[in-house]
């Protein structure tokens, strides 16, 4: 059997196996984990000054646009609301911190690294994974580009490289997983000059947030966004106003496996026999890998 054929069968089998643990991971046994011991970040929007240094640090750490720090001092970006993209994993937006629109505050957005991520349960090939440290990681090698994760995410975070015709990937904040594993803070947290971002164990951050609210009841509303939303998130927020005035959506406390179940049930509608589907997925993965390998070879030749 030639190696291409062997690889194809391996990939088909891998994709078949990947379907079941992926859904189960996100909706059953993994729920027993104590998320309080995982890493998280508390974003205090009342302290953030909108300097955008976190955007630069993220750009730099992930080799995105490689623009100098000075280019992130441009405050004209606050004229419109921005969303994270495939070229910018985090963005800072301005919002009115009072109902009369006078005082301004800022909010940094990125992947929330949900405790029970809808993107993970939507991904039928296991390309997305909730790591034991807290981050939701992405494996481009496994990704088949179906973009179910984009549909499932309640925060509209995963971004697809539509401009990359040859080797598109899903891009989002990585929570600087490699840095965390070396005992370092995420790049954005390390650079924040105002300590608007606090990195630590999720349980400790919740206690810190509760204490800040108790000590400063006039400064914060009594709500830690992300403590309970969609089952809790690794990134959590404090704000001086109702979160409806920020960029964070109003969401239920329960995880939202319904969205991912809808996606997966949709796949099985239309009488596509599962084994045939897995075969197709394996073929898609094989074809993608071949393209990537050919691309790599081409790159090496140039
Ligand atoms: S915010 Fe979206 S992309 Fe990030 S972990 Fe949650 S569901 Fe996944
Ligand atoms: S696009 Fe990639 S990461 Fe997203 S659900 Fe599909 S296979 Fe998973
Ligand atoms: S670096 Fe800190 S203070 Fe500056 S915009 Fe980012 S979160 Fe806000």
């Amino acid at each position: 059997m030639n190696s291409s054929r062997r690889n194809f069968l391996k990939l088909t089998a891998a994709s078949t196996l990947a379907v079941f643990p992926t859904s189960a991971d996100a909706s059953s046994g993994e729920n027993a984990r104590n998320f309080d011991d995982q890493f998280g970040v508390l974003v205090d929007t009342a302290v953030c000054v909108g300097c955008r240094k976190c955007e630069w640090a993220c750009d730099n750490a992930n080799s995105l646009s490689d623009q100098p720090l000075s280019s992130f001092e441009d405050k004209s970006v606050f004229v419109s609301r921005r969303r994270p993209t495939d070229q910018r994993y985090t963005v800072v937006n301005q919002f009115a911190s009072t109902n009369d629109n006078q005082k301004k505050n800022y909010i940094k957005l990125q992947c929330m690294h949900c405790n029970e991520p809808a993107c993970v349960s939507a991904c039928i090939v296991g390309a997305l994974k909730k790591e034991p440290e807290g981050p939701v990681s992405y494996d481009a090698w496994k990704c088949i580009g179906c973009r179910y994760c984009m549909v499932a995410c309640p925060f509209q975070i995963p971004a697809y490289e539509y401009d990359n015709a040859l080797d598109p990937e899903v891009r989002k904040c990585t929570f600087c997983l490699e840095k965390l594993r070396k005992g370092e803070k995420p790049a954005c947290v390390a650079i924040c000059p105002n300590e608007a971002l606090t990195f630590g164990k999720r349980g400790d951050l919740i206690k810190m947030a509760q204490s800040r609210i108790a000590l400063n009841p006039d400064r914060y509303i009594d709500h830690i966004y992300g403590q309970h939303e969609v089952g809790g998130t690794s990134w959590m927020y404090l704000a001086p106003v109702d979160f409806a005035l920020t960029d964070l959506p109003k969401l239920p406390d329960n995880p939202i496996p319904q969205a991912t179940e809808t996606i997966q049930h949709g796949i099985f509608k239309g009488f596509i026999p599962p084994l045939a589907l897995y075969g197709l997925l394996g073929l898609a993965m094989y074809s993608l890998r071949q393209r990537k390998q050919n691309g790599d070879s081409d790159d090496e030749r140039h």
Side-chain angles (χ1 to χ4, degrees), residues 110-114 117-120 136 149 152-158 172 233:
Q110 70 296 302
C111 172
M112 302 287 281
H113 299 279
C114 305
C119 61
V120 171
V136 173
C149 51
C153 173
F155 300 99
Q156 299 174 37
I157 292 296
K172 69 173 195 70
T233 55

Side-chain angles (χ1 to χ4, degrees), residues 130-153:
K130 179 74 173 172
E131 300 288 350
E133 296 90 342
V136 173
S137 65
Y138 169 71
D139 184 343
W141 198 91
K142 290 181 182 171
C143 179
I144 56 171
C146 64
R147 284 162 275 159
Y148 294 148
C149 51
M150 296 173 69
V151 180
C153 173

